[in-house]
Amino acid sequence: MSDTTTRRVTMFGNPMELAGTEIRVGEAAPDFTAVGTDLKPVRLSDITAKVVVLSSVPSLDTSVCDLETRRFNQEAQKLGDDVRIVTISMDLPFAQKRWCGSAGVANVITLSDHRDASFGLNYGVLLKDLRLLARCVFVAGPARRVDYVQLVHEVTHEPDYNAVLAAVDAARRE
């Protein structure tokens, strides 16, 4: 549950307020509806893998988001079918599809939150003034409880990949 304090991250050192409900470890992973590159709605409940990594990024067309999604694409190939990595941004599905094709990214599911900001609001990572998503990684295990949250406080920095992968390994053992 979210408290009443204002939550913030920074982008290039400038404070940015987060909108939505803060999700903490141990809470149920909220369902959301986003749009796939085929323009069809996708919900968390549609993803049947044992472990789901939800990686929110501001835009795939930025250098750090590009690096992060390419890295998670490499990791997804190694992790196997019981883990799905999903990258969510406000980019339009057309842009996501184009970016995935040019970057050779095929192991990560990309979803667009542009319609309703359903993910951003349900997970508390919507950058209120910019209507972009903050950089955050959630790991949900088989019971769809949130096992791990890594909110990157400076949006222009990459997440700690080793910590995310350790959380994925722990969730696989549930």
Side-chain angles (χ1 to χ4, degrees):
M1 296 289 178
S2 181
D3 56 30
T4 57
T5 60
T6 301
R7 296 177 315 109
R8 289 188 169 91
V9 293
T10 59
M11 181 181 281
F12 301 106
N14 299 310
M16 298 279 156
E17 187 175 339
L18 295 173
T21 304
E22 181 179 8
I23 300 301
R24 295 188 173 121
V25 171
E27 294 180 352
D31 212 359
F32 61 87
T33 302
V35 181
T37 57
D38 60 359
L39 303 179
K40 293 181 181 170
V42 177
R43 300 171 58 95
L44 174 61
S45 55
D46 296 333
I47 302 168
T48 59
K50 181 177 179 181
V51 177
V52 178
V53 177
L54 300 169
S55 170
S56 65
V57 300
S59 175
L60 293 172
D61 283 320
T62 62
S63 60
V64 178
C65 300
D66 179 285
L67 287 169
E68 178 179 338
T69 306
R70 287 175 191 260
R71 170 70 186 269
F72 279 134
N73 186 63
Q74 292 170 346
E75 298 299 338
Q77 188 172 19
K78 299 177 205 170
L79 290 171
D81 291 338
D82 65 335
V83 177
R84 286 286 171 270
I85 299 178
V86 180
T87 296
I88 305 167
S89 71
M90 286 292 194
D91 295 311
L92 293 175
F94 308 108
Q96 291 180 336
K97 187 173 186 174
R98 176 199 43 77
W99 181 88
C100 287
S102 67
V105 169
N107 302 311
V108 168
I109 298 168
T110 55
L111 297 177
S112 175
D113 203 25
H114 83 282
R115 281 190 186 157
D116 304 317
S118 174
F119 177 83
L121 291 170
N122 288 348
Y123 283 76
V125 295
L126 182 66
L127 295 171
K128 188 175 181 181
D129 292 336
L130 299 178
R131 202 171 189 280
L132 295 173
L133 299 179
R135 188 174 315 284
C136 192
V137 182
F138 300 89
V139 176
R144 288 302 182 258
R145 291 237 168 261
V146 176
D147 292 331
Y148 179 80
V149 177
Q150 184 185 145
L151 177 63
V152 180
H153 292 284
E154 170 53 55
V155 175
T156 62
H157 295 171
E158 290 178 80
D160 179 342
Y161 301 109
N162 291 333
V164 173
L165 295 172
V168 168
D169 287 340
R172 288 172 110 168
R173 294 190 297 270
E174 286 181 22

